[in-house]
Amino acid sequence: MLRKNRLFTPGPTPLLPAAQVAMASANIHHRTADFRAIYSRTLADLKELIGTRNDVLLLVSSGTGAMEAAVSNLNSAGDKVLVLTAGKFGERWQELTTRFGCKVEILSAAYGQTFSPADIQAGLDSSIRTVFVQATESSTGVRHDVEAIARLLRSHAPDALLVVDAITGLGTTHLDVDSWGIDFIIGGSQKALMIPPGLAYCAVSERAWARMETTQFPRYYFDLRRERKAAAKGESAFTPATSLVVALAAALDYLRQLGNGDLGAGRNVLIAGAEICAEMTRAAAQALGLKLFASAPAAALTAITSPYAIDSGKIVAAFRDKFGAVVANGQAEMKGKLFRIAHIGYYDYLDTIGIIGALELVLDSLGLKVETGSGLRAAQQVWTKSNAGQLSRA
Ligand SMILES: *Cc1c(COP(=O)(O)O)cnc(C)c1O
């Protein structure tokens, strides 16, 4: 039988056709008025997408490049920083800040868990310069409470800057960047933006810009002050990935259409979609007798514990071999123990129903007793009860 390859991974995510077409036809020089117009409009649209008044920059790198830029631009050797970590991406903050030479305080939670407010409060004091956290920890499927973290920071370490890796958070969860006081928020092109990997973006507060006037870590490619000057003129400091920028412009146009002319409304449609698909997936997994790995599940992805200690690699392989579905295994220590299904970006009801149907048959093929259809039934009930379900019946 015909088998379509489909991505259910927390990045890269399914590509938006209009963005692919735009990308394929991009033949443009980056120091021209035409490109400056596209670049300026894209930066302005990203501000609307993020929902911030802060300056937004685009960087030609994977998301980790912007994470490194946050560390190198906002800190100096010996700065005391606090890293909140509960998974592989939290550990990336730990590695980055350590490698650069910060004095790193760690607040960790077990994989699958999030931080308690009391622990965060205990970890904060006025000597902390910067706090690093994920909005959603893609390795475990956990959502961290960024609003609560920001509030604690304001009262217990008001001078500390808050840096949020929202690479899978943006476009899947509500983040009120300016009123919560997120100083540096990071996104990546291969997540909710529906285009290939290769671009990172960030919104930077005035406090963070002021900090950069005095920090001492070396930086060159990721010198954000230089990038900001170029961006003000509609350019990037170095040769940008022009085809990806054109694709991004098309994706942002699509989101504006989705919001009937309002990009912020389009973003909210995207978030609501992720939420309902995640809820359907969680309900289906539980109806099939599976355990969710995350204590506070994100809408970006659902991490499911492999049942009966089956190597989750077998589940991932069966999805691929039987259905052409690319589902993510656990990372590092979690490899073999869980699998992850994402609900990010260009992803909808039919994708969700498809992967749940496939999940039932994958489990069945591995010899597990599952009542075929019970996961689908639970998912349908979630959909029918939801706003989206009501609208689709109207
Ligand atoms: C995808 C992702 C990253 C970035 O990974 P890159 O491979 O550098 O793009 C960072 N943090 C989270 C939470 C992610 O999901």
Side-chain angles (χ1 to χ4, degrees):
M1 189 171 70
L2 188 72
R3 237 185 29 182
K4 297 188 190 177
N5 277 311
R6 292 180 172 89
L7 298 185
F8 293 88
T9 40
T13 61
L15 298 177
L16 178 74
Q20 287 177 279
V21 171
M23 186 164 54
S25 59
N27 184 15
I28 189 165
H29 191 279
H30 56 290
R31 307 290 181 211
T32 59
D34 283 351
F35 189 75
R36 278 192 288 273
I38 296 170
Y39 199 74
S40 300
R41 180 165 61 83
T42 303
L43 291 177
D45 281 356
L46 280 174
K47 276 170 92 152
E48 282 188 54
L49 175 85
I50 299 171
T52 182
R53 284 184 300 277
N54 294 337
D55 280 355
V56 170
L57 299 179
L58 257 182
L59 300 171
V60 179
S61 71
S62 83
T64 306
M67 293 173 74
E68 175 160 332
V71 174
S72 66
N73 281 264
L74 300 179
N75 299 282
S76 307
D79 272 7
K80 197 162 145 187
V81 303
L82 176 66
V83 169
L84 304 182
T85 172
K88 297 323 286 179
F89 291 102
E91 287 161 23
R92 189 164 297 178
W93 281 134
Q94 185 178 341
E95 286 165 12
L96 266 167
T97 51
T98 303
R99 193 73 63 89
F100 267 84
C102 296
K103 186 168 176 292
V104 186
E105 309 270 315
I106 307 285
L107 170 59
S108 58
Y111 293 156
Q113 305 294 312
T114 188
F115 318 100
S116 86
D119 288 347
I120 298 169
Q121 187 170 329
L124 289 172
D125 66 67
S126 55
S127 65
I128 303 271
R129 297 271 285 164
T130 314
V131 174
F132 297 92
V133 69
Q134 271 63 42
T136 51
E137 173 52 74
S138 314
S139 67
T140 63
V142 164
R143 180 199 310 255
H144 296 315
D145 189 346
V146 176
E147 183 178 15
I149 293 166
R151 198 181 318 114
L152 286 166
L153 222 69
R154 276 203 304 281
S155 49
H156 299 279
D159 294 332
L161 297 177
L162 176 58
V163 178
V164 178
D165 163 5
I167 296 176
T168 49
L170 281 162
T172 63
T173 191
H174 175 69
L175 294 159
D176 200 340
V177 174
D178 294 355
S179 70
W180 296 355
I182 300 174
D183 294 292
F184 200 110
I185 189 163
I186 302 168
S189 57
Q190 79 275 34
K191 312 283 170 124
L193 289 177
M194 310 172 278
I195 65 171
L199 294 177
Y201 58 106
C202 55
V204 183
S205 75
E206 283 309 320
R207 281 175 5 129
W209 288 117
R211 168 79 68 84
M212 285 182 226
E213 298 297 326
T214 61
T215 49
Q216 299 292 326
F217 276 145
R219 61 202 89 131
Y220 185 84
Y221 184 69
F222 291 125
D223 183 341
L224 298 185
R225 289 194 298 162
R226 177 175 178 170
E227 206 57 66
R228 185 191 204 190
K229 281 204 192 95
K233 292 183 278 182
E235 295 199 355
S236 57
F238 308 102
T239 310
T242 46
S243 52
L244 285 174
V245 173
V246 169
L248 177 54
L252 292 163
D253 283 344
Y254 171 79
L255 288 176
R256 178 172 279 116
Q257 283 163 26
L258 202 61
N260 296 317
D262 177 346
L263 189 45
R267 177 223 29 242
N268 292 342
V269 172
L270 197 64
I271 293 173
E275 277 171 351
I276 189 68
C277 293
E279 198 184 336
M280 289 167 70
T281 306
R282 291 195 298 268
Q286 288 174 308
L288 289 165
L290 302 175
K291 266 186 63 187
L292 303 176
F293 187 72
S295 58
L301 72 152
T302 301
I304 300 172
T305 305
S306 195
Y308 303 108
I310 292 178
D311 179 349
S312 60
K314 288 191 180 152
I315 297 175
V316 170
F319 270 119
R320 183 193 61 220
D321 297 342
K322 290 181 182 307
F323 300 107
V326 186
V327 163
N329 201 328
Q331 286 165 277
E333 295 92 316
M334 292 167 278
K335 190 166 183 183
K337 301 191 173 121
L338 58 91
F339 58 101
R340 295 172 295 148
I341 298 171
H343 328 288
I344 302 171
Y346 196 58
Y347 185 86
D348 68 0
Y349 166 86
L350 282 179
D351 295 316
T352 310
I353 286 295
I355 197 72
I356 291 168
L359 172 61
E360 294 183 341
L361 298 185
V362 162
L363 294 174
D364 185 61
S365 76
L366 292 170
L368 297 181
K369 283 217 161 54
V370 291
E371 191 198 330
T372 310
S374 60
L376 286 166
R377 186 180 325 117
Q380 296 282 32
Q381 282 165 356
V382 168
W383 173 265
T384 314
K385 270 191 244 148
S386 71
N387 275 338
Q390 308 285 336
L391 287 174
S392 72
R393 280 188 296 168

